[in-house]
Structures are given as C-alpha cells and as structure tokens.
Amino acid sequence: MSNNGNFFGNINRSGIMQAILNLPPPCANLCFLMADQTANLLRELPSIDRLLKHKRCEILLSRYNRDYVIEQCRTVLDQFRSEIRHGDAIGVDDEAIIERVESRIYAESRPGHIRVVNATGTILHTNLGRALLSRAAIDAMTAVADQPINLEYDLAAGRRGKREETLEKLLVDLTGAQAASVVNNNAAAVLLALNSLAEGKEVIVSRGELIEIGGSFRIPEIMAKSGAVLKEVGSTNRTHPTDYENAINQRTALLLKVHTSNYKVVGFTAEVTLEELVAIGKKHNLPVMEDLGSGALIDLSKHGLPKEPIVAQRIQAGADVVTFSGDKILGGPQAGLIVGKKDLIGKMGKNHLQRALRCGKLTLAALEATLRRYRQSPNIVDEIPTLKAFTRPIQEIRAFGEELLPRLQAVLGNEFQLHLQDSTAQIGSGALPTEELPTVVISIEHPKLGANVIAEKFRRADPPIIGRIKDDHFLLDLRTIFDRDDLIPNFGQDKGSR
C-alpha cells in the first residue's frame, strides 16, 4: 500500500483490474472481496500518535526515550502491514500491536553477554571469557566502579601521578624484575615492546617459534605491525645457537624467544634455551626478550601439574624483557604484563602506543587485587578460581558427580540415560596444550534425541549450560563446576524431551 492509501501501490492498477475481470465470475468476486478486506485492515491500523497514548505505551515512554519507542512502533506497524498483505493477519488489535512493541523492546534490552555454565572441560575457555576473577578482584572492581579514584593523581604531591605505580611495585616484588608495565593484553605487550625496542630494525626469532595465537593472529604479523623486521633462523623443528650468531648484523636490535605455549614439537628437535640466548645477547650487546604467552607466577608442579615457565625464573635467567597474560594461568583480568630492565621498560613508557594500549581503572583494580593476593595469600590456589579448578582432586569431583546425578535425572526425566564416566579436561587458551587433567563427566543420552539436539536443549536453559560432544554422547564436565545448582537446567516451558 502506498502512502496515499492506494492498495495496489505503484503497480499498474488498470492492468490488475483487467486481469481480475478476465477471471471466471466466482474467482473475480473472491479477488475483489479479498482486496477490500485487505484494504479495510490496513485502514484500521492505528496511527503512531494513537499508540503512544495507549496506557501500556505510556509506561514504555517512562522507561525509554520517545524516539526509540516511536521507532519500535513504526517497525511493528510495518510488520503488521506486511502480514495483512500476505494474508497472515485476520484482524487488527491495538493490544496485540503494543504487546509486540513491548516484546521487541524487552528483547533488545537484554544484554548481549550473559552468564553461561562452563561444563566443556576446558578451564580457560577463550570463547567463554577465560579466567574467572577471584572475590578479591571482583570486590576491587566494585569499589572503584562508581567513585572517583586517584588513578593518575599523586595524593602526597598534589599533582598528576603514574597510573601503574602500585602494579609496578607488585610485579617487581613478584618477579624480581627492575620495572614493569601493563597494557590491555599480551599481544599488545608484544606489539609495544617490539615497536619500542626494534622499530625499523631486525628481530631474530626461531622458525619453530613463529606461533599463531587465537583468531589467526601470528607473531610475524604482529611484528610487521610493530615496524620491526623479522629475521627467521633455524628450521621448524631444529634451531641452534650458531643460527642466531650467524644472523646477527649491524641492523639487529633484539633477540626474541617465544614460548610455544599452544603446541609442542616432538621427535627430532632442538631449541636454543633462554640461557644460551642470553649469553649470545651479552656477547653482542643485544637485549633478549621472551614472550611467555600464559606466564605463571607460581610453580604449578608443586600442585601436581606439569611445570610451566615461571616469570621470576626467566628474569633470573637473564631475560631483559618478559611478556605474559593476565587472564590465563595467572587467573586475573585480561591484560598484558611486561617486566624487565628499567631502561627498556622506560622506553615503552615513553612510546605513544602505550597510551593507546593502556588499561582502564576496572582492569587495573582487578589486576592489582589479584597480584596482591599472590604476594600475600597463604594459599593462593584456594583464592584464584582458575588455580582451584586446576588443582581440584579427582576424588572430590567424583563425589560431587555422584550427589548431582539423581537430581539431574529427576529434572530431565526417565527417558534420558545418565551415568558418570572418567575423562580428561584441558587447561585451554594455549596453556600446556599437550597436558590433560583427569576429570569426571556426566554422559547424557536419549533414545530419540541425538547428542547435538541434547546440547542445543541445554544451551536454551537459563542460564545456558555449555557441554561437549564426544562419540555422539553429550558430556557435562564437572572439573569447573563447584555449585551443583549450576547443572540443574531451567528449561522454562521446554521441559523433558521434545
């Protein structure tokens, strides 16, 4: 229907009328009747002004701005017009229109990021937000969120201060480095370090360490963006000290070692250790940087996990700069941490990129609280959720599952077949990629529903429960679940089998 009320719009009206008249009388009469009914329904649609005066719409106007409500009303009216023209609407009712407006507004008001239950068996799941924050970190964020703070203000001197001063002291104490800096993630840390120390010059790195991290971001591409020139040495599986020695020239600015945290090369291999690289760097007066990726502040092997490079030990071994993540093994917020020699960190602090990559007050508050617990806690693995999930005893997980199983069975119904079975979980986010942790899973089957259908059903729960599928079985991994209620699904109207 056009704006002037012509039902046929821009179509040749006389042509349509002639086509209808050429039909047998019963068909022609029916066409005329349908056209009249459609035109009448379109005329009955309320105006925007009429809708806005409706009591339910007045409530919406008290909660949302007028232009937004008008936009939603217009969209819904357009939907009704389309449905009428296609014969999908048999009547026009203001209440139905307002109800649809309300539904659209409420749907758009729901946050895009919502809580989910991670029963995948991947502890640091990048797609699900990686590390869970400790209570101390959450409280710290809450404390600064709605109040002014001395973010960059020196209270003693009464002038502008340094936003990372407290964090730097904590990182220096925890790692033994001379200085430290913080940016928004580890890729940013690598970018800032390379740009500050080697822009326009060569950085030597082993071909076996040219890793790709999540989202197809690769060390060579990050290096290119930094302005540094990549100088590859060695081969994919074997690199020797002489490869670095032979590649050094007057354009060399930095020797880079990248911890292959998201894969392992096994078999006929050889790599240059950090200690060997430091010796080469000292010989040629070149700084050595190591990108640890995850980066651990404590010895995980003391808790039954494989040993991961500890930042303090890499500084002690002679690395001039070490970069690592805040939201992986460390168990804090997303951040890129840089520790090392004072003069090198100082260069990064003067780089204009540092401002573009810096963290906001919420991240800094959460990170400070996390690092402070590492510095002061008598038992850090009980305070950091990530470490707690890493170190959870298998006997505890199995007992947890035995208590949960009958409750879950009662909710799902007898047609679902549930049983516990041993399995393995993984750390995730590129940390210790070849290492698996023993775990217990709840296996869920149904005679009429495949694993994908069951998985979809659990994703529709409130909150969504995310598991994994293996051998056409839907599995709920219990290693990361500490509250039994988390795995009791609320399906709303969607109960039982479909």
Side-chain angles (χ1 to χ4, degrees):
M1 184 174 183
S2 64
N3 292 333
N4 63 8
N6 180 8
F7 169 67
F8 295 107
N10 296 323
I11 301 174
N12 187 318
R13 183 181 179 90
S14 61
I16 292 177
M17 295 294 292
Q18 187 61 49
I20 293 176
L21 291 172
N22 289 336
L23 293 171
C27 294
N29 291 337
L30 179 60
C31 286
F32 281 123
L33 178 61
M34 291 174 62
D36 287 341
Q37 289 176 339
T38 299
N40 289 334
L41 287 174
L42 289 170
R43 280 193 292 269
E44 289 175 13
L45 286 173
S47 66
I48 295 291
D49 287 340
R50 189 168 109 193
L51 288 178
L52 294 178
K53 293 175 182 177
H54 193 286
K55 287 185 178 181
R56 289 167 66 179
C57 208
E58 287 179 348
I59 295 174
L60 292 176
L61 288 169
S62 70
R63 299 175 181 173
Y64 305 93
N65 77 65
R66 185 180 181 86
D67 289 342
Y68 176 70
V69 175
I70 290 174
E71 178 187 337
Q72 300 305 314
C73 289
R74 283 176 177 155
T75 299
V76 170
L77 286 173
D78 286 343
Q79 291 175 350
F80 269 87
R81 289 188 186 98
S82 177
E83 292 168 10
I84 290 170
R85 287 169 179 148
H86 288 87
D88 297 329
I90 59 175
V92 175
D93 180 72
D94 285 15
E95 290 291 329
I97 294 172
I98 294 294
E99 184 174 340
R100 192 178 296 185
V101 170
E102 290 174 336
S103 296
R104 281 184 58 84
I105 290 177
Y106 295 152
E108 288 192 0
S109 299
R110 288 196 294 266
H113 293 126
I114 62 173
R115 181 202 172 204
V116 301
V117 177
N118 178 14
T120 63
T122 300
I123 299 171
L124 294 171
H125 201 303
T126 297
N127 298 345
L128 303 183
R130 289 187 180 166
L132 305 182
L133 294 181
S134 67
R135 188 71 257 165
I138 295 169
D139 290 343
M141 292 175 69
T142 303
V144 304
D146 64 346
Q147 299 289 339
I149 65 169
N150 59 326
L151 180 64
E152 288 185 1
Y153 188 79
D154 187 329
L155 291 171
R159 60 172 181 264
R160 183 168 184 165
K162 184 179 178 183
R163 75 167 51 195
E164 301 171 11
E165 186 172 2
T166 304
L167 280 171
E168 182 175 26
K169 185 179 186 308
L170 284 167
L171 285 168
V172 166
D173 290 342
L174 287 165
T175 66
Q178 295 178 0
S181 186
V182 178
V183 288
N184 55 26
N185 62 25
N186 189 51
V190 174
L191 177 71
L192 177 63
L194 292 175
N195 181 261
S196 302
L197 307 180
E199 184 178 17
K201 297 182 179 180
E202 292 182 356
V203 175
I204 302 177
V205 61
S206 168
R207 283 190 176 89
E209 297 174 2
L210 296 177
I211 66 170
E212 177 180 306
I213 58 179
S216 299
F217 289 95
R218 299 170 177 171
I219 285 291
E221 278 76 6
I222 292 174
M223 189 175 293
K225 288 294 183 182
S226 75
V229 179
L230 171 64
K231 184 78 171 182
E232 302 176 34
V233 297
S235 63
T236 303
N237 60 319
R238 293 178 70 83
T239 302
H240 305 281
T242 53
D243 293 320
Y244 286 90
E245 291 272 10
N246 295 336
I248 292 173
N249 59 57
Q250 60 184 7
R251 296 193 63 220
T252 305
L254 183 70
L255 305 181
L256 175 63
K257 184 170 182 61
V258 182
H259 177 50
T260 54
S261 59
N262 58 355
Y263 70 94
K264 294 291 182 183
V265 178
V266 296
F268 187 58
T269 65
E271 69 170 310
V272 178
T273 66
L274 176 61
E275 291 79 3
E276 291 173 321
L277 202 58
V278 167
I280 296 171
K282 288 181 177 179
K283 178 181 176 182
H284 296 275
N285 196 29
L286 291 171
V288 173
M289 170 179 159
E290 182 170 30
D291 171 25
L292 285 181
S294 293
L297 292 180
I298 63 171
D299 186 357
L300 297 176
S301 65
K302 293 180 179 179
H303 302 279
L305 294 167
K307 194 173 182 65
E308 181 79 352
I310 302 171
V311 179
Q313 292 178 351
R314 310 312 275 179
I315 291 294
Q316 190 176 11
D320 297 293
V321 174
V322 177
T323 61
F324 55 105
S325 294
D327 60 339
K328 293 186 180 180
I329 292 178
L330 193 144
Q334 177 179 299
L337 284 64
I338 313 170
V339 297
K341 296 291 174 57
K342 193 169 186 176
D343 60 329
L344 302 181
I345 300 296
K347 287 184 179 180
M348 299 178 207
K350 295 175 183 177
N351 191 326
H352 292 296
L353 268 180
Q354 207 277 344
R355 184 176 181 86
L357 303 173
R358 70 183 183 180
C359 301
K361 68 175 184 178
L362 298 183
T363 298
L364 294 176
L367 183 58
E368 179 187 332
T370 303
L371 294 176
R372 197 177 300 284
R373 297 319 300 150
Y374 270 96
R375 185 85 171 108
Q376 299 176 349
S377 174
N379 189 7
I380 190 64
V381 297
D382 278 346
E383 293 195 41
I384 304 296
T386 296
L387 299 180
K388 190 174 183 179
F390 287 168
T391 60
R392 193 177 185 190
I394 189 65
Q395 296 85 355
E396 176 188 312
I397 301 174
R398 185 172 289 108
F400 181 92
E402 290 169 352
E403 291 184 26
L404 173 62
L405 201 64
R407 287 186 60 196
L408 184 56
Q409 184 75 71
V411 171
L412 293 179
N414 292 331
E415 286 193 7
F416 283 88
Q417 301 159 10
L418 279 63
H419 64 274
L420 296 178
Q421 66 182 46
D422 293 332
S423 187
T424 55
Q426 60 182 358
I427 291 176
S429 291
L432 299 170
T434 62
E435 307 297 338
E436 295 182 327
L437 304 177
T439 190
V440 176
V441 299
I442 297 177
S443 176
I444 303 177
E445 300 175 77
H446 191 283
K448 299 177 182 177
L449 305 178
N452 285 310
V453 175
I454 298 174
E456 180 186 355
K457 179 181 179 65
F458 272 78
R459 291 197 304 271
R460 292 199 307 269
D462 181 21
I465 299 172
I466 316 297
R468 71 176 187 266
I469 295 174
K470 183 178 180 181
D471 299 329
D472 202 33
H473 289 68
F474 178 64
L475 308 178
L476 297 174
D477 196 301
L478 302 180
R479 177 164 281 279
T480 55
I481 308 299
F482 290 89
D483 185 340
R484 292 176 184 84
D485 290 340
D486 285 350
L487 288 186
I488 303 301
N490 175 17
F491 293 125
Q493 298 301 316
D494 178 32
K495 297 181 182 292
S497 59
R498 295 193 303 184

mmCIF file of all heavy atoms in Angstrom, residues 327-353:
data_model
loop_
_atom_site.group_PDB
_atom_site.id
_atom_site.type_symbol
_atom_site.label_atom_id
_atom_site.label_comp_id
_atom_site.label_asym_id
_atom_site.label_seq_id
_atom_site.Cartn_x
_atom_site.Cartn_y
_atom_site.Cartn_z
ATOM 1 N N ASP A 327 45.075 -13.043 32.108
ATOM 2 C CA ASP A 327 43.817 -13.784 32.235
ATOM 3 C C ASP A 327 43.938 -15.249 31.859
ATOM 4 O O ASP A 327 42.946 -15.900 31.529
ATOM 5 C CB ASP A 327 42.736 -13.120 31.383
ATOM 6 C CG ASP A 327 43.084 -13.075 29.898
ATOM 7 O OD1 ASP A 327 44.281 -13.180 29.559
ATOM 8 O OD2 ASP A 327 42.168 -12.924 29.069
ATOM 9 N N LYS A 328 45.136 -15.789 31.923
ATOM 10 C CA LYS A 328 45.307 -17.217 31.667
ATOM 11 C C LYS A 328 45.681 -17.905 32.978
ATOM 12 O O LYS A 328 44.908 -17.918 33.923
ATOM 13 C CB LYS A 328 46.335 -17.435 30.557
ATOM 14 C CG LYS A 328 45.851 -16.930 29.192
ATOM 15 C CD LYS A 328 46.814 -17.290 28.086
ATOM 16 C CE LYS A 328 46.325 -16.774 26.741
ATOM 17 N NZ LYS A 328 47.262 -17.112 25.633
ATOM 18 N N ILE A 329 46.868 -18.476 33.044
ATOM 19 C CA ILE A 329 47.261 -19.208 34.251
ATOM 20 C C ILE A 329 47.284 -18.305 35.476
ATOM 21 O O ILE A 329 46.993 -18.743 36.592
ATOM 22 C CB ILE A 329 48.629 -19.891 34.033
ATOM 23 C CG1 ILE A 329 48.492 -21.007 32.990
ATOM 24 C CG2 ILE A 329 49.161 -20.466 35.330
ATOM 25 C CD1 ILE A 329 49.787 -21.700 32.664
ATOM 26 N N LEU A 330 47.585 -17.036 35.283
ATOM 27 C CA LEU A 330 47.636 -16.109 36.407
ATOM 28 C C LEU A 330 46.262 -15.962 37.074
ATOM 29 O O LEU A 330 46.160 -15.724 38.275
ATOM 30 C CB LEU A 330 48.145 -14.747 35.930
ATOM 31 C CG LEU A 330 48.561 -13.749 37.001
ATOM 32 C CD1 LEU A 330 49.762 -12.934 36.526
ATOM 33 C CD2 LEU A 330 47.419 -12.797 37.337
ATOM 34 N N GLY A 331 45.189 -16.098 36.285
ATOM 35 C CA GLY A 331 43.846 -16.083 36.855
ATOM 36 C C GLY A 331 43.284 -14.723 37.152
ATOM 37 O O GLY A 331 42.406 -14.585 38.006
ATOM 38 N N GLY A 332 43.746 -13.690 36.433
ATOM 39 C CA GLY A 332 43.251 -12.334 36.651
ATOM 40 C C GLY A 332 42.461 -11.834 35.461
ATOM 41 O O GLY A 332 41.973 -12.611 34.641
ATOM 42 N N PRO A 333 42.317 -10.508 35.331
ATOM 43 C CA PRO A 333 41.582 -9.930 34.200
ATOM 44 C C PRO A 333 42.435 -9.934 32.937
ATOM 45 O O PRO A 333 43.658 -10.129 33.001
ATOM 46 C CB PRO A 333 41.330 -8.495 34.662
ATOM 47 C CG PRO A 333 42.522 -8.175 35.519
ATOM 48 C CD PRO A 333 42.840 -9.456 36.244
ATOM 49 N N GLN A 334 41.805 -9.702 31.792
ATOM 50 C CA GLN A 334 42.566 -9.611 30.543
ATOM 51 C C GLN A 334 43.539 -8.443 30.633
ATOM 52 O O GLN A 334 43.162 -7.303 30.856
ATOM 53 C CB GLN A 334 41.640 -9.398 29.358
ATOM 54 C CG GLN A 334 42.401 -9.224 28.045
ATOM 55 C CD GLN A 334 41.485 -9.037 26.863
ATOM 56 O OE1 GLN A 334 40.684 -9.912 26.546
ATOM 57 N NE2 GLN A 334 41.592 -7.893 26.200
ATOM 58 N N ALA A 335 44.805 -8.744 30.454
ATOM 59 C CA ALA A 335 45.853 -7.724 30.495
ATOM 60 C C ALA A 335 47.129 -8.327 29.930
ATOM 61 O O ALA A 335 47.310 -9.541 29.914
ATOM 62 C CB ALA A 335 46.091 -7.237 31.926
ATOM 63 N N GLY A 336 48.008 -7.446 29.442
ATOM 64 C CA GLY A 336 49.335 -7.862 29.014
ATOM 65 C C GLY A 336 50.350 -7.296 29.989
ATOM 66 O O GLY A 336 50.402 -6.079 30.202
ATOM 67 N N LEU A 337 51.145 -8.159 30.584
ATOM 68 C CA LEU A 337 52.105 -7.731 31.600
ATOM 69 C C LEU A 337 53.511 -7.760 31.014
ATOM 70 O O LEU A 337 53.890 -8.730 30.336
ATOM 71 C CB LEU A 337 52.028 -8.631 32.833
ATOM 72 C CG LEU A 337 50.829 -8.401 33.768
ATOM 73 C CD1 LEU A 337 49.506 -8.704 33.078
ATOM 74 C CD2 LEU A 337 50.943 -9.266 35.016
ATOM 75 N N ILE A 338 54.274 -6.700 31.264
ATOM 76 C CA ILE A 338 55.643 -6.583 30.753
ATOM 77 C C ILE A 338 56.560 -6.312 31.940
ATOM 78 O O ILE A 338 56.343 -5.356 32.690
ATOM 79 C CB ILE A 338 55.772 -5.427 29.746
ATOM 80 C CG1 ILE A 338 54.641 -5.465 28.713
ATOM 81 C CG2 ILE A 338 57.135 -5.464 29.050
ATOM 82 C CD1 ILE A 338 54.568 -4.229 27.837
ATOM 83 N N VAL A 339 57.560 -7.147 32.114
ATOM 84 C CA VAL A 339 58.541 -6.931 33.177
ATOM 85 C C VAL A 339 59.937 -7.019 32.579
ATOM 86 O O VAL A 339 60.157 -7.673 31.561
ATOM 87 C CB VAL A 339 58.385 -7.967 34.317
ATOM 88 C CG1 VAL A 339 57.024 -7.828 34.994
ATOM 89 C CG2 VAL A 339 58.555 -9.393 33.792
ATOM 90 N N GLY A 340 60.893 -6.340 33.213
ATOM 91 C CA GLY A 340 62.249 -6.398 32.684
ATOM 92 C C GLY A 340 63.139 -5.280 33.175
ATOM 93 O O GLY A 340 62.900 -4.678 34.230
ATOM 94 N N LYS A 341 64.161 -4.991 32.374
ATOM 95 C CA LYS A 341 65.146 -3.970 32.723
ATOM 96 C C LYS A 341 64.499 -2.583 32.712
ATOM 97 O O LYS A 341 63.665 -2.278 31.857
ATOM 98 C CB LYS A 341 66.315 -4.013 31.732
ATOM 99 C CG LYS A 341 67.113 -5.312 31.776
ATOM 100 C CD LYS A 341 67.880 -5.440 33.077
ATOM 101 C CE LYS A 341 68.576 -6.801 33.223
ATOM 102 N NZ LYS A 341 69.494 -7.098 32.136
ATOM 103 N N LYS A 342 64.949 -1.739 33.622
ATOM 104 C CA LYS A 342 64.323 -0.432 33.821
ATOM 105 C C LYS A 342 64.430 0.453 32.590
ATOM 106 O O LYS A 342 63.472 1.138 32.212
ATOM 107 C CB LYS A 342 64.961 0.253 35.026
ATOM 108 C CG LYS A 342 64.196 1.469 35.509
ATOM 109 C CD LYS A 342 64.712 1.938 36.863
ATOM 110 C CE LYS A 342 63.853 3.055 37.416
ATOM 111 N NZ LYS A 342 64.277 3.462 38.778
ATOM 112 N N ASP A 343 65.589 0.447 31.930
ATOM 113 C CA ASP A 343 65.749 1.326 30.775
ATOM 114 C C ASP A 343 64.871 0.898 29.608
ATOM 115 O O ASP A 343 64.327 1.738 28.885
ATOM 116 C CB ASP A 343 67.220 1.387 30.348
ATOM 117 C CG ASP A 343 67.768 0.030 29.956
ATOM 118 O OD1 ASP A 343 67.311 -1.001 30.507
ATOM 119 O OD2 ASP A 343 68.672 -0.032 29.088
ATOM 120 N N LEU A 344 64.676 -0.412 29.442
ATOM 121 C CA LEU A 344 63.847 -0.903 28.344
ATOM 122 C C LEU A 344 62.367 -0.653 28.611
ATOM 123 O O LEU A 344 61.617 -0.237 27.717
ATOM 124 C CB LEU A 344 64.108 -2.397 28.115
ATOM 125 C CG LEU A 344 65.565 -2.775 27.796
ATOM 126 C CD1 LEU A 344 65.694 -4.270 27.562
ATOM 127 C CD2 LEU A 344 66.069 -2.006 26.577
ATOM 128 N N ILE A 345 61.939 -0.907 29.840
ATOM 129 C CA ILE A 345 60.547 -0.620 30.207
ATOM 130 C C ILE A 345 60.293 0.891 30.110
ATOM 131 O O ILE A 345 59.209 1.328 29.715
ATOM 132 C CB ILE A 345 60.238 -1.130 31.627
ATOM 133 C CG1 ILE A 345 60.463 -2.649 31.722
ATOM 134 C CG2 ILE A 345 58.797 -0.783 32.019
ATOM 135 C CD1 ILE A 345 59.569 -3.483 30.865
ATOM 136 N N GLY A 346 61.312 1.680 30.438
ATOM 137 C CA GLY A 346 61.187 3.133 30.333
ATOM 138 C C GLY A 346 60.937 3.585 28.916
ATOM 139 O O GLY A 346 60.151 4.513 28.673
ATOM 140 N N LYS A 347 61.592 2.946 27.950
ATOM 141 C CA LYS A 347 61.358 3.278 26.537
ATOM 142 C C LYS A 347 59.910 3.006 26.148
ATOM 143 O O LYS A 347 59.303 3.777 25.402
ATOM 144 C CB LYS A 347 62.297 2.458 25.639
ATOM 145 C CG LYS A 347 63.740 2.898 25.659
ATOM 146 C CD LYS A 347 64.558 2.084 24.668
ATOM 147 C CE LYS A 347 66.018 2.528 24.648
ATOM 148 N NZ LYS A 347 66.819 1.735 23.676
ATOM 149 N N MET A 348 59.375 1.923 26.663
ATOM 150 C CA MET A 348 57.976 1.593 26.349
ATOM 151 C C MET A 348 57.034 2.623 26.958
ATOM 152 O O MET A 348 56.019 2.984 26.363
ATOM 153 C CB MET A 348 57.648 0.186 26.868
ATOM 154 C CG MET A 348 58.490 -0.910 26.247
ATOM 155 S SD MET A 348 58.107 -2.524 26.944
ATOM 156 C CE MET A 348 59.681 -3.370 26.700
ATOM 157 N N GLY A 349 57.356 3.093 28.157
ATOM 158 C CA GLY A 349 56.514 4.087 28.808
ATOM 159 C C GLY A 349 56.469 5.405 28.070
ATOM 160 O O GLY A 349 55.493 6.155 28.183
ATOM 161 N N LYS A 350 57.499 5.708 27.300
ATOM 162 C CA LYS A 350 57.545 6.950 26.539
ATOM 163 C C LYS A 350 56.955 6.803 25.138
ATOM 164 O O LYS A 350 56.827 7.788 24.404
ATOM 165 C CB LYS A 350 58.991 7.440 26.429
ATOM 166 C CG LYS A 350 59.597 7.821 27.775
ATOM 167 C CD LYS A 350 61.069 8.190 27.629
ATOM 168 C CE LYS A 350 61.695 8.509 28.980
ATOM 169 N NZ LYS A 350 63.142 8.810 28.863
ATOM 170 N N ASN A 351 56.602 5.580 24.770
ATOM 171 C CA ASN A 351 56.044 5.305 23.446
ATOM 172 C C ASN A 351 54.576 5.731 23.424
ATOM 173 O O ASN A 351 53.802 5.400 24.317
ATOM 174 C CB ASN A 351 56.169 3.811 23.141
ATOM 175 C CG ASN A 351 55.852 3.477 21.696
ATOM 176 O OD1 ASN A 351 55.006 4.093 21.075
ATOM 177 N ND2 ASN A 351 56.529 2.467 21.175
ATOM 178 N N HIS A 352 54.174 6.472 22.374
ATOM 179 C CA HIS A 352 52.785 6.917 22.277
ATOM 180 C C HIS A 352 51.809 5.744 22.175
ATOM 181 O O HIS A 352 50.631 5.879 22.522
ATOM 182 C CB HIS A 352 52.612 7.835 21.061
ATOM 183 C CG HIS A 352 53.320 9.143 21.210
ATOM 184 N ND1 HIS A 352 52.982 10.058 22.176
ATOM 185 C CD2 HIS A 352 54.367 9.690 20.527
ATOM 186 C CE1 HIS A 352 53.775 11.119 22.082
ATOM 187 N NE2 HIS A 352 54.626 10.921 21.097
ATOM 188 N N LEU A 353 52.295 4.590 21.711
ATOM 189 C CA LEU A 353 51.436 3.409 21.648
ATOM 190 C C LEU A 353 50.967 2.989 23.039
ATOM 191 O O LEU A 353 49.896 2.401 23.198
ATOM 192 C CB LEU A 353 52.186 2.228 21.004
ATOM 193 C CG LEU A 353 52.061 2.025 19.503
ATOM 194 C CD1 LEU A 353 52.876 0.809 19.084
ATOM 195 C CD2 LEU A 353 50.611 1.853 19.096
#
